[in-house]
Amino acid sequence: MKKPLLSAILFVSFFILLSGTGCKKTSTTDTSVPTIATQDVILDLTSTTAQSGGTISSVGGASIAANGVVYSTTNKVPTLADLKTSDPVITISNSFTSNLTGLTAGTTYYLRAYATNQFGTAYGAVVQFTTGTNVSSVTGVVTTFAGNGTAGYMDGAATSAEFDNPTGLVADASGNIYISDTFNNRIRKIAGDGTVTTIAGNGIAGYVDSQDGTPEFYAPQGLAIDATGNIFVADYGNNVIRKITPAGVVSTYAGNGNAGFVDGAASKVAAFNGPAGVAFDPKGNLFVADRNNNMIRKISPAGGVSLYAGVLRPGYTNITVDSAIGSWGAFHHPNGIAVDASGNVYVADLDNNAIRQITPAGVLSTIAGGPGQTALVGYPSALCVDATGNIFISDEAGRTLKLTSAKILYVLAGASNVAGYADGTGAAAQFSTPQGIGVDGAGNIYVADFNNSRIRKVVVVTNN
């Protein structure tokens, strides 16, 4: 009779032991520091001032107590013991901007973003910049180059011509400007004397190749010109790339007209989905920002279409592109594309708020902006590269930007999230959802001002 009782006592004791030890919940207190990245470019640099900042992707285990940037002329890995800014505290994961003043002219600085919570301080990567030798700023003077502001269709003198929501823009070596007049379904030309003419399209939204001057396009967007003067059009609504010869003959260069993703022979086989931007490299390859496929495609001079970077789903990934292992990086609605003299491909990654670069070796990286950094690059729609490697950007937030090879970003004209129409200098100028952008041999910038149905001209000036 005692044995069963002893067994019951032992069982209860064992259960209590388990309840007090093995089944006890462990502590899940988060004691992590924030996660932060340094803004990857320096904004509006002069000899004594600059702007930088950071993006906090996680506040960590406690609320942010302080954030800003630390910087030094001697410490290549600056800390809170060096010079610092104290910016308005970020309460949630977000970006902030830091204003640096009192800098020394002609001096190299090392800078990184920081964020502190009760468990410690985290730092972003170090960026380096050098101030100029005189107090100067770079800005843009904006004038109206063509279009009277009425959304319509009229050729003639630039000031009386009418456009209907122009999107694509490119300049040739002779200073002529070519426009994708998107809602007019036409390709227009502005000659050096300001005369506006139509070179292709009959105004009907359709898909017709033609040799007699009556082809049809459907919402044409990006434009590119090859070495012999042929114009290539990202025919967005038709999901094809069109070619216009100097004689005005229009043909389909690549795409079968169906929205999709198919590599292969450019003619009749390959498929695109909303191609928005086109650009040639020095070897004659035509790169396409295949917007709705979230991909960058390549058309070789021999006529083969292949995937260059990106995957079908939207995303944001920097990576070394490697077809052997199926690594392609990720974009979110790439809209504009440009190529420099060295074969680097630049992408206006619209919904990632980023300017991306793909080197000839296949390394995909972000050179300005990133998800959520709308104050830096607000929905970039198009870009172009000049002969010295400067990148000019139009962003749908309402600005024209210049990014130098030293990763200095200047806001040339317009103000973020201000839509309107005004000629003027710097922030006094206004655009309304600017799209295509091009630069001529003299360094003048031209912008397709979409909602204003005008073509704007921006002249870059340095103020001493």
Side-chain angles (χ1 to χ4, degrees):
M1 294 296 295
K2 293 181 180 180
K3 189 172 183 179
L5 179 61
L6 178 60
S7 298
I9 293 172
L10 290 173
F11 175 81
V12 173
S13 299
F14 181 66
F15 179 81
I16 293 172
L17 180 63
L18 286 176
S19 300
T21 57
C23 294
K24 184 178 180 180
K25 292 183 179 179
T26 58
S27 174
T28 59
T29 301
D30 183 358
T31 60
S32 63
V33 299
T35 302
I36 187 169
T38 307
Q39 182 174 291
D40 39 21
V41 298
I42 300 299
L43 182 65
D44 287 340
L45 178 68
T46 72
S47 59
T48 59
T49 63
Q51 286 187 348
S52 184
T55 299
I56 299 173
S57 57
S58 171
V59 299
S63 59
I64 301 295
N67 53 257
V69 298
V70 293
Y71 56 104
S72 173
T73 60
T74 56
N75 184 3
K76 295 184 178 181
V77 188
T79 68
L80 291 174
D82 297 296
L83 296 170
K84 70 178 187 294
T85 66
S86 296
D87 297 298
V89 172
I90 298 294
T91 57
I92 59 175
S93 299
N94 211 332
S95 300
F96 61 88
T97 299
S98 301
N99 294 306
L100 284 69
T101 59
L103 304 178
T104 303
T107 303
T108 297
Y109 285 84
Y110 305 92
L111 174 149
R112 59 179 176 166
Y114 76 89
T116 301
N117 65 15
Q118 71 178 71
F119 302 112
T121 298
Y123 297 96
V126 175
V127 297
Q128 177 181 327
F129 66 94
T130 302
T131 54
T133 55
N134 55 39
V135 178
S136 63
S137 61
V138 177
T139 190
V141 178
V142 179
T143 56
T144 297
F145 185 66
N148 62 17
T150 298
Y153 171 65
M154 184 182 296
D155 284 337
T159 54
S160 59
E162 293 179 358
F163 301 88
D164 195 351
N165 296 90
T167 299
L169 188 151
V170 68
D172 69 11
S174 300
N176 300 300
I177 309 299
Y178 297 89
I179 310 296
S180 283
D181 195 1
T182 301
F183 286 7
N184 275 324
N185 299 297
R186 291 177 166 102
I187 308 302
R188 316 281 290 277
K189 174 185 175 180
I190 309 174
D193 64 0
T195 302
V196 179
T197 57
T198 298
I199 65 168
N202 62 8
I204 298 173
Y207 180 30
V208 176
D209 287 335
S210 175
Q211 299 185 29
D212 62 4
T214 57
E216 294 177 0
F217 300 87
Y218 186 8
Q221 296 200 11
L223 299 174
I225 302 176
D226 70 9
T228 58
N230 297 298
I231 300 170
F232 294 78
V233 183
D235 195 355
Y236 182 87
N238 284 320
N239 302 299
V240 296
I241 308 302
R242 312 287 287 279
K243 175 182 176 181
I244 308 171
T245 70
V249 177
V250 177
S251 60
T252 299
Y253 185 68
N256 61 22
N258 297 314
F261 166 55
V262 179
D263 281 340
S267 177
K268 306 299 183 183
V269 174
F272 301 88
N273 190 357
V278 284
F280 278 99
D281 75 0
K283 296 180 180 179
N285 298 296
L286 182 63
F287 290 88
V288 180
D290 195 2
R291 174 177 165 141
N292 295 335
N293 276 330
N294 298 295
M295 291 173 168
I296 306 303
R297 313 285 290 282
K298 175 182 172 182
I299 308 172
S300 72
V305 178
S306 59
L307 172 62
Y308 195 66
V311 291
L312 283 172
R313 63 185 181 279
Y316 178 71
T317 306
N318 288 318
I319 199 169
T320 298
V321 177
D322 188 345
S323 59
I325 60 175
S327 299
W328 299 101
F331 302 88
H332 193 181
H333 291 150
N335 201 70
I337 195 163
V339 186
D340 68 15
S342 300
N344 296 295
V345 176
Y346 300 96
V347 180
D349 195 358
L350 183 78
D351 286 328
N352 276 326
N353 312 115
I355 305 302
R356 316 287 290 279
Q357 180 192 59
I358 311 169
T359 69
V363 178
L364 169 61
S365 62
T366 298
I367 59 172
Q373 296 190 42
T374 55
L376 193 64
V377 182
Y379 302 99
S381 52
L383 43 70
C384 64
V385 183
D386 70 8
T388 59
N390 296 304
I391 302 172
F392 298 96
I393 305 157
S394 57
D395 76 10
E396 292 186 354
R399 299 177 300 177
T400 301
L401 312 172
K402 176 183 179 180
L403 178 63
T404 72
S405 57
K407 287 193 173 184
I408 308 301
L409 184 68
Y410 295 99
V411 178
L412 297 179
S416 184
N417 298 316
V418 176
Y421 168 67
D423 288 336
T425 300
Q430 293 179 359
F431 303 87
S432 185
T433 317
Q435 295 292 311
I437 189 168
V439 60
D440 67 14
N444 299 304
I445 303 160
Y446 301 87
V447 179
D449 195 357
F450 185 76
N451 284 330
N452 283 320
S453 291
R454 292 177 166 101
I455 308 303
R456 314 291 289 281
K457 181 179 178 180
V458 185
V459 176
V460 180
V461 296
T462 300
N463 304 308
N464 294 321

